[in-house]
Amino acid sequence: MSYSPNVAKFTSGLSPVNEEPKRLGHLLQEAGKLTIVDTDRVLQVQKTENLRFGEIALKLGVINELDLHQALARQFSIPGIAPDDACLSAELVAAYQPAGGQIEQLRAIRGQLMLRWFSKGHKALVIAGIDAGDGASYLAANLAVVFSQLGERTLLIDADLRRPRQHTVFNLGNRPGLSDFLAGRIDSSAATRISAFPRLAVLTAGAVPPNSVELLARPATAPQLEALTRNYDVVLIDTAATADGTDGAILAARIGGALMVLRQDHTRLAAAAAFHTNLESNGAVLVGTVLNQH
């Protein structure tokens, strides 16, 4: 996965004030990763070697890399989920894998988006793939997690009203969502808070309408979306693949910008270029592109 900023070439929270943070060894013991004997061994070695507790524990082989990263995430109050907790889809690598190449790429994309879009007064961004299976829904879900881990009040909206997926990724079931909100049947409180990530809420797609374009293109949609996003810092909108229709371009015109997701050896560059042109003709900005290499 790689990110390119606005180009035509397609290529934490801390512990509360005045509360003493728990030591790493205590956290590893609480998680059942270290025994008291193991902890004493590490502390004895630490007296003679100028290394951190976690480095010595790794060196002695009493913990592994995943144990260490999970304990560090707890120490710095970064929300996450244990690997054996199946409450959310395994696609949420940002939730289950606190370290590794994928999570670092996601954080890098988050940093670029903060710099180039959200720090400039924008609140919402459309995530649009060219074809189904390009990875746009996967990217939107994981970016929502990493933004919430940063402490941003984050809302993920499933606006793919053709093939919605976020309700399965977050294990939310088939509940009222965006289509019902736009039709006036529910209010903005329908967004579901994700218990593992206190700063994250997800609004599912809701009932699949017979014609999503007509629903999204109505003049009332823009003020409705503005009211929906008012209480959040970052709003990510997952949309239908552009090959399925103009839903993404319509929403981008309402929101002002889009992040385009391409899939290596799969996405047709002509289709990507056409989407870029469509954005520009509707006054929207292509904030960047992400190349999914899987």
Side-chain angles (χ1 to χ4, degrees), residues 19 66 73 80 102 114 134 166 177 181 188 194 220 253 258 271 276:
E19 181 179 321
L66 182 59
Q102 284 184 299
M114 287 294 291
D134 281 349
Q166 299 299 348
F181 172 75
S188 59
I194 306 302
H276 188 185

Side-chain angles (χ1 to χ4, degrees), residues 2 7 23-24 35 53 61 69 79 85 96 104 109 115 137 168-169 172 188-190 194 221 228 243 288 293:
S2 60
V7 291
R23 293 183 179 276
L24 192 64
T35 65
F53 185 95
H69 287 300
D85 187 342
Y96 288 102
E104 290 306 320
I109 295 170
L115 177 67
S137 295
T168 60
V169 173
L172 296 176
S188 59
S189 64
I194 306 302
T221 297
L228 181 63
Q293 297 172 326

Side-chain angles (χ1 to χ4, degrees), residues 34 41 68-69 103 121 131 135 153 165 172 175 190 195 202 204 229 234 239 242 250 262 269:
L34 275 186
R41 286 178 60 198
L68 176 59
H69 287 300
I103 188 65
D131 299 293
R153 295 173 300 169
R165 292 193 62 245
L172 296 176
R175 62 181 64 195
S195 58
V202 176
T204 61
T229 62
V234 170
T239 63
T242 62
I250 290 172
L262 313 178
L269 293 185

Side-chain angles (χ1 to χ4, degrees), residues 142-164:
N142 279 284
L143 280 177
V145 171
V146 296
F147 270 110
S148 72
Q149 289 172 328
L150 190 64
E152 301 291 331
R153 295 173 300 169
T154 306
L155 173 64
L156 173 63
I157 300 175
D158 191 347
D160 185 345
L161 302 182
R162 299 168 187 262
R163 303 174 185 175

Side-chain angles (χ1 to χ4, degrees), residues 86-102:
C87 65
L88 303 177
S89 168
E91 289 183 72
L92 287 173
V93 295
Y96 288 102
Q97 300 176 26
Q102 284 184 299

Side-chain angles (χ1 to χ4, degrees), residues 53 69 77 98 110 112-113 125 129 132 146 173 184 192 204 210 222 241 258 262 278 284 293:
F53 185 95
H69 287 300
S77 303
R110 178 188 67 187
Q112 289 291 326
L113 293 177
L125 181 67
V146 296
T192 303
T204 61
L262 313 178
N278 195 359
Q293 297 172 326

